[in-house]
Amino acid sequence: MSKFKRALLCGTALLLLTGLLGVTTQTIASGERLYGRFTKDNELYTPRNYREWVFIGASVTPNDLNDGSAAFPEFHNVYIDPGSYEHWKKTGEFRNNTVIVKELASVGDTEAASGNGYFPGEFGGIAAMVKSEKRYPDRPGNWAYFGFDGKSRHGAIQDDSACSACHQENADQDQVFLQFYPVLRAAKP
Ligand code: HEC
């Protein structure tokens, strides 16, 4: 087999392998690690392994305090990709290529050995936001928002009026609700 053919085969095998393992990290020239994989239309493939990212907060909007049906039921477990957390610790800014995932979980029990309260039940899907000058040059703050239906392999970009508008108006920093993330506030330089 020629050297060229062998190199081609190796390359293809490597691509297949990284695809199968769902590798979602790449390192760029500056040494920064990037997270998230995208379709050719810049839609975010359903992130994997985000539960191993940096956990920044868990707001809860229980149905029973929201007329029986919260907009995002009910626990919101929020994770930021580790490369962007590193950047945040150094600069106090959300870098280009930040990926934030919000995973929803229902309220399960309301009584436990520790007292009355809201205790997490089952997972109920995710939402995400990605900041990228290159991919979303026309979106406010270069943030794109994604909804996931649990069937498609990637998220669908949402209209700015559906997501971004409320974030722009109410979030403390760059469309992120810093006011609810003590983990980020504590790490801000
Ligand atoms: C009416 C206001 C409102 C709308 C509309 C809204 N959000 Fe949010 N979002 C919030 C608030 C408040 C938080 C933080 C507290 C919480 O999780 O309840 C949040 C948190 C998030 C987070 C975690 C990071 C952050 O910025 O705090 C993501 C990701 C997110 N929302 C995605 C979306 C997506 C995707 C949509 C559109 C389908 C959307 N949001 C629509 C108010 C909104």
Side-chain angles (χ1 to χ4, degrees):
M1 195 186 302
S2 76
K3 253 189 192 160
F4 174 72
K5 264 194 187 155
R6 220 178 299 150
L8 198 71
L9 270 180
C10 276
T12 316
L14 201 69
L15 269 182
L16 274 175
L17 193 70
T18 49
L20 282 177
L21 293 175
V23 171
T24 53
T25 320
Q26 62 167 292
T27 306
I28 53 173
S30 62
E32 280 183 279
R33 284 168 304 154
L34 300 188
Y35 291 75
R37 281 169 58 237
F38 297 85
T39 68
K40 60 179 179 3
D41 299 324
N42 291 320
E43 296 201 298
L44 177 67
Y45 279 110
T46 308
R48 306 188 200 190
N49 303 332
Y50 53 84
R51 292 179 196 145
E52 293 161 26
W53 293 2
V54 179
F55 182 78
I56 59 170
S59 302
V60 49
T61 53
N63 288 337
D64 66 14
L65 294 180
N66 290 280
D67 300 327
S69 109
F72 290 92
E74 297 178 279
F75 282 92
H76 314 161
N77 298 338
V78 181
Y79 300 84
I80 189 170
D81 76 82
S84 298
Y85 182 71
E86 283 303 311
H87 184 89
W88 171 267
K89 281 198 297 185
K90 287 192 205 123
T91 64
E93 307 279 344
F94 296 104
R95 70 169 179 178
N96 204 18
N97 299 307
T98 298
V99 184
I100 299 180
V101 173
K102 165 167 87 170
E103 182 162 45
L104 307 174
S106 62
V107 167
D109 288 332
T110 51
E111 283 171 35
S114 51
N116 298 328
Y118 295 110
F119 300 93
E122 302 303 328
F123 287 129
I126 64 170
M129 58 197 278
V130 177
K131 184 180 177 77
S132 169
E133 273 169 26
K134 190 182 87 189
R135 295 179 198 280
Y136 316 116
D138 301 328
R139 303 225 163 223
N142 305 124
W143 286 106
Y145 289 76
F146 294 92
F148 296 81
D149 64 9
K151 287 177 218 123
S152 171
R153 290 181 58 225
H154 56 80
I157 296 192
Q158 307 290 302
D159 286 343
D160 286 340
S161 57
C163 309
S164 172
C166 175
H167 278 241
Q168 285 179 65
E169 178 148 341
N170 299 299
D172 263 4
Q173 184 175 331
D174 195 10
Q175 296 184 37
V176 179
F177 284 88
L178 190 62
Q179 60 265 50
F180 304 132
Y181 304 121
V183 172
L184 288 183
R185 290 201 304 277
K188 192 170 176 156

